[in-house]
Amino acid sequence: MDDDLQIDSDEELFRNPVYYERAGCNLDLSRSDLGVQQGEELLGELLRMRNRVPVERRGLICPDCRDIRGRRVPMYLVERNGVWLASHYRKRGEKPISHESDEHLARKERVAKDSEDHGFQADVESSAADGRARLDVRISGANGIVLGYEPQLSTQTARGMRVRERFRRSDNIRSVWDFADPDHTGIGTVPYVRTPNLPASVIRVQKNPIAVRDGNFVLEEGHCSPSGALDRCPEKSYDPENPTATGYCGGWHRILVPAHQSSAFNGDGALTLTQFIVEAAAGERIPFQRGGFHGWLPVQQWQRYLEANGPDREDEDKERKASVRQGDRRDKCTEDRPVSEVRAEPKQRRESRTIILETRTQEAEAAEVAVDASGQPIPLCRFGCGRPASLSGPEGLPEHFSCRRKSEEMQRIAGEVA
């Protein structure tokens, strides 16, 4: 009776919740008691139904299909590595169940059309080689690059995102996860871009540019001073209650920073999603991982990154075994499932995306201490630029005119914002 059923892929199994009609609640299949009273006896009863009772009469249904599509879609139990999971009821050869929103569909259609217009074959809803992952858009890039475009408009747990990304990386797929929420837990957890939350009607018009607001990084290095190459010390957190506080340490840093936060960014020639996808498919943008944080670098920046830091370290991913047992079984089943009581892991507010690669103190770099004509050390500028200042300001403290002017400008801007 169960032989003709089409089992969901491992990735889908991992994400599928299941509702038991007689108990009136979702079952937690990661627990031996299923999270309900007399759950152990219930599990035994459900397993005995296999090949005896039709799937549609066993009482297991998909809560997402019921809530989003208004349909009663039966489910049945599947065992993976000693863990019971739930699969949707469908005959062999039938397409997987989808609950994608119109905005989600529009993003897939837009990226597929744009990719093909630039000479790269794109397939919507394509399965990976091992069948465990289903790509929203599979793009065949240059030199054997396979790009998987994955718009993610709903909230997911970080653990679930990591598992889904490992399915793709095991097939040598470079994923581009597209988030609209700036506080999404997947940001940095997987290789990502962030784009505006636009209606489907706007996305489908190809002449409308879709801006990339985050996920594209650049490498910067230099002295941490008002006259240096960096806008602000990456090791000093911004204090909203004291916005004019000195933002420099006087040392030297090498960092990865989002392009829109870099010192060279002036707002001109903003990166679009189409440009990003085409360049990633052509090998002109490379995904990186540093300390468990993921992002993208232009190929020239990638070369600088390798020369300074060597290849990516993937020890963190290797420590996490790709086992369904380690996953959060209460993760989502659909791409656009609304908020529910079974989702864990509260959303964290975003902080600075800057990644510090190397820091050197000024003392380690200084060859000698600057002295005046009498041999006395020249004090450092009061504004924290890290350079000696031989002139005193109105307060009688050593300073540079340029540093004072920059500090006054920062105070003026802070006053306008307030």
Side-chain angles (χ1 to χ4, degrees), residues 334-353:
T334 69
E335 294 294 340
D336 300 295
R337 175 182 168 200
V339 176
S340 72
E341 73 283 355
V342 297
R343 182 151 59 260
E345 201 169 310
K347 183 189 299 182
Q348 298 295 323
R349 296 298 298 178
R350 61 187 179 278
E351 298 179 353
S352 174
R353 314 269 195 235

Side-chain angles (χ1 to χ4, degrees), residues 289-317:
Q289 175 189 351
R290 180 75 180 193
F293 190 95
H294 297 255
W296 289 82
L297 285 167
V299 67
Q300 298 86 355
Q301 300 284 328
W302 171 252
Q303 293 299 330
R304 290 181 58 194
Y305 173 78
L306 288 182
E307 292 170 1
N309 303 277
D312 284 353
R313 297 193 296 264
E314 299 186 2
D315 297 341
E316 183 175 341
D317 276 355

Side-chain angles (χ1 to χ4, degrees), residues 78-273:
V78 178
E79 189 268 340
R80 288 288 186 274
N81 299 326
V83 176
W84 289 103
L85 306 171
S87 180
H88 292 91
Y89 173 68
R90 53 193 174 97
K91 298 293 184 180
R92 290 195 179 277
E94 291 182 351
K95 294 183 178 180
I97 300 218
S98 173
H99 315 291
E100 297 168 346
S101 66
D102 197 28
E103 289 76 15
H104 187 97
L105 291 170
R107 286 174 184 265
K108 295 196 302 182
E109 295 168 3
R110 170 70 179 271
V111 166
K113 289 179 181 178
D114 287 346
S115 299
E116 292 184 339
D117 287 348
H118 286 81
F120 297 110
Q121 180 182 348
D123 300 306
V124 178
E125 292 296 332
S126 175
S127 296
D130 61 5
R132 294 193 301 174
R134 189 176 72 251
L135 307 181
D136 281 338
V137 182
R138 179 191 181 96
I139 303 167
S140 300
N143 301 318
I145 293 176
V146 177
L147 205 64
Y149 174 68
E150 308 290 338
Q152 188 64 65
L153 304 182
S154 60
T155 302
Q156 299 278 338
T157 64
R159 176 178 292 181
M161 297 298 299
R162 292 190 190 101
V163 171
R164 296 171 66 188
E165 173 62 13
R166 281 200 297 271
F167 286 143
R168 288 154 177 76
R169 294 179 70 179
S170 64
D171 282 309
N172 296 318
I173 295 170
R174 293 184 180 182
S175 300
V176 180
W177 296 87
D178 184 4
F179 302 109
D181 182 358
D183 300 315
H184 198 289
T185 55
I187 289 181
T189 303
V190 293
Y192 75 100
V193 294
R194 182 169 65 84
T195 57
N197 188 12
L198 301 172
S201 58
V202 173
I203 296 172
R204 286 194 169 97
V205 179
Q206 284 187 278
K207 67 179 181 180
N208 290 336
I210 303 175
V212 171
R213 294 180 172 175
D214 197 359
N216 177 48
F217 286 70
V218 294
L219 187 147
E220 290 193 331
E221 55 187 323
H223 290 280
C224 188
S225 67
S227 60
L230 305 182
D231 281 345
R232 187 174 181 85
C233 178
E235 295 182 334
K236 289 189 175 184
S237 58
Y238 175 74
D239 184 2
E241 297 182 357
N242 190 14
T244 61
T246 300
Y248 303 97
C249 70
W252 180 94
H253 305 285
R254 179 185 292 123
I255 60 175
L256 293 177
V257 62
H260 67 280
Q261 296 177 357
S262 67
S263 58
F265 181 74
N266 57 12
D268 296 335
L271 181 65
T272 66
L273 179 62

Side-chain angles (χ1 to χ4, degrees), residues 18-21 27 46 58-62 73-77:
V18 59
Y19 181 86
Y20 186 52
E21 293 176 308
L27 301 181
L46 292 172
R58 297 177 191 175
L60 299 178
I61 65 170
C62 175
V73 177
M75 304 187 81
Y76 60 98
L77 300 182

